[in-house]
Amino acid sequence: MAFGVLAIQGDVREHLEALRRTGVEAGTVRTPEEVAAVRGLVIPGGESTTIGKLAARYGLMEPIRRLVREGRPLMGTCAGMIVMANTIGAAANDQPALGVMDIAVERNAFGRQLDSFEVDLEVKGIEGGPVRAVFIRAPVMSAVEDGVEVLATHEGRIVAARQGSMLALAFHPELTDDSRLHDYFVKMG
Ligand code: GLN
């Protein structure tokens, strides 16, 4: 069975390439049947309101929740992390969300001056030195509940966390050629 990348919007191709570099098969996902068939799923960055609305329109919310219940891995990067959260601060009106992960997120948390930036980030569970983390109008996790393990912080703010088979990243691991986080993800199932 292959891994899937939700192909509604965002940097789908980069995630497919990063997954394939880890040695697994990966393909795009747009239908409930495709969600049901994947070994694990990535929700890429992009615009969380758009991704949420289209995922709801295509009938993908319940199949993705089922994927989580079944323990198949789910990773959300940036906008994908927002769509996974159970609480979205400053949510756009009628922003549909999966609400599968016990985190509160704040959108565009680094402000306008710091629209995008890169830092070297130590991530718990990732060996071999820091990962280069690319942040683009990035959210942060403003709170996490019990059962959520914080994997990385930047300036005291939570930017990577895991809960069971779910991985939430405020940054874009698919935009560098370091696939250690994708490797970590494919081994979570
Ligand atoms: N700011 C975007 C949002 O709120 C996320 C940005 C991104 O995914 N690079 O959806």
Side-chain angles (χ1 to χ4, degrees):
M1 223 197 266
F3 280 83
V5 178
L6 189 64
I8 287 177
Q9 193 215 30
D11 38 10
V12 175
R13 183 174 48 84
E14 290 84 351
H15 271 296
L16 288 171
E17 286 168 5
L19 286 167
R20 288 171 187 150
R21 279 201 303 273
T22 74
V24 301
E25 282 176 40
T28 55
V29 164
R30 289 190 189 84
T31 66
E33 293 74 24
E34 286 168 339
V35 175
V38 291
R39 207 169 122 193
L41 183 69
V42 175
I43 306 178
E47 216 287 310
S48 55
T49 311
T50 307
I51 294 175
K53 279 186 181 159
L54 291 178
R57 188 179 305 162
Y58 299 161
L60 303 180
M61 296 306 225
E62 218 22 68
I64 297 174
R65 293 187 187 111
R66 189 174 319 127
L67 170 136
V68 171
R69 284 198 297 275
E70 291 171 359
R72 287 180 282 148
L74 178 66
M75 171 163 78
T77 61
C78 202
M81 170 180 115
I82 298 169
V83 175
M84 284 166 70
N86 69 7
T87 308
I88 305 175
N93 278 343
D94 69 4
Q95 175 165 7
L98 287 165
V100 286
M101 191 162 170
D102 295 328
I103 56 174
V105 298
E106 189 190 332
R107 298 177 67 192
N108 304 318
F110 291 98
R112 237 181 270 147
Q113 285 84 345
L114 271 181
D115 217 23
S116 37
F117 59 96
E118 295 185 25
V119 291
D120 287 325
L121 204 63
E122 285 292 347
V123 183
K124 195 170 169 188
I126 304 296
E127 285 167 15
V131 300
R132 189 79 181 152
V134 181
F135 290 83
I136 304 169
R137 289 184 296 287
V140 293
M141 287 169 255
S142 45
V144 301
E145 292 176 32
D146 288 351
V148 178
E149 185 185 15
V150 173
L151 301 181
T153 59
H154 174 58
E155 293 175 345
R157 311 174 89 185
I158 304 168
V159 294
R162 174 175 180 171
Q163 180 178 20
S165 58
M166 289 178 281
L167 182 62
L169 306 174
F171 51 92
H172 292 269
E174 73 285 6
L175 296 183
T176 67
D177 48 21
D178 180 349
S179 11
R180 282 178 294 164
L181 274 160
H182 286 81
D183 200 50
Y184 178 93
F185 166 67
V186 301
K187 291 180 175 139
M188 286 190 345

